[in-house]
Amino acid sequence: MTISKNNDKALLVRHDDAETLDTMGVRLYADHDMTGGKLSANRAFLPAGADGPPPHYHSTSAELFYMLDGRLRVLAGDEIHEIGAGDFLLIPPNMTHAWAAPATSPADVLVVFTPGIERFDYFRLGDRIRKGLASPAEILDTQERFDNHFVDSPIWRQATKNDDRVSLDGEEHRAEFLASDVLRAQPGV
């Protein structure tokens, strides 16, 4: 992998050279500092029925999903879409979104942020949490740094957990977030 600080050369990241975080199902291709801030890119694999991140938004970047294989349920504002291989979905800045693989299919998706935001250290923190080496509260403490702002979504809770509560207050949302399976240490890792 060659990184040009001047952005005067092409960035080529070979599949086998990309950092892989097995606990996260993520392969890291390009972070903001590698692209002069133009984009950040990773590939995520979720087994059938696995949750992705809880509802959140990014204030500065759009998030692009390009489905390589399988299916993915995506909250986009107040709508839930199911996308499949070859589908493209763009979430604009400030739109609440979340995603999960349906029970019937895994998901293999290329995720691109533009303009680029710091993602590699965000995923590495998630990896440390899943290994039991960091606290889920650290994700909440880094929302500004990683432009990853977690919010409640009654629509997503209803769709994924059959939870009919209208909205959660700040403390209820914090407790639900910290109890999320996505942030739970993975046994045997």
Side-chain angles (χ1 to χ4, degrees):
M1 172 177 15
T2 302
I3 299 173
S4 170
K5 297 295 182 192
N6 303 351
N7 283 338
D8 58 352
K9 296 181 183 177
L11 172 65
L12 173 62
V13 181
R14 301 278 183 197
H15 176 80
D16 290 341
D17 293 336
E19 181 180 351
T20 301
L21 302 174
D22 291 328
T23 68
M24 301 291 292
V26 172
R27 187 174 292 265
L28 305 174
Y29 284 103
D31 211 0
H32 71 295
D33 60 336
M34 299 165 66
T35 67
K38 303 228 181 345
L39 64 85
S40 305
N42 65 273
R43 183 176 180 178
F45 180 81
L46 279 75
D51 288 333
H56 64 284
Y57 68 90
H58 311 288
S59 62
T60 60
S61 294
E63 186 168 0
L64 170 158
F65 296 86
Y66 180 75
M67 287 302 296
L68 300 168
D69 198 16
R71 311 241 4 120
L72 191 68
R73 292 182 69 203
V74 183
L75 169 70
D78 61 0
E79 297 180 295
I80 296 177
H81 303 282
E82 187 163 314
I83 58 177
D87 289 346
F88 170 99
L89 176 65
L90 181 67
I91 305 292
N94 297 307
M95 179 177 278
T96 297
H97 57 286
W99 36 289
T104 57
S105 175
D108 187 2
V109 59
L110 177 66
V111 181
V112 177
F113 295 88
T114 185
I117 54 178
E118 185 178 1
R119 300 314 288 165
F120 284 19
D121 282 346
Y122 169 78
F123 288 119
R124 290 174 185 135
L125 175 56
D127 183 59
R128 288 194 312 278
I129 290 168
R130 287 190 163 192
K131 290 178 177 175
L133 302 174
S135 164
E138 290 182 55
I139 288 283
L140 293 177
D141 294 340
T142 59
Q143 291 181 94
E144 288 297 324
R145 174 183 171 195
F146 296 125
D147 190 19
N148 219 70
H149 306 276
F150 294 97
V151 295
D152 182 36
S153 171
I155 294 166
W156 190 246
R157 278 190 288 105
Q158 171 60 39
T160 59
K161 296 181 180 141
N162 208 18
D163 181 341
D164 287 328
R165 293 176 289 175
V166 177
S167 63
L168 302 178
D169 69 26
E171 285 306 308
E172 287 176 314
H173 179 250
R174 180 178 174 80
E176 291 258 335
F177 176 84
L178 294 175
S180 168
D181 285 342
V182 172
L183 300 173
R184 193 171 318 281
Q186 305 295 301
V189 174

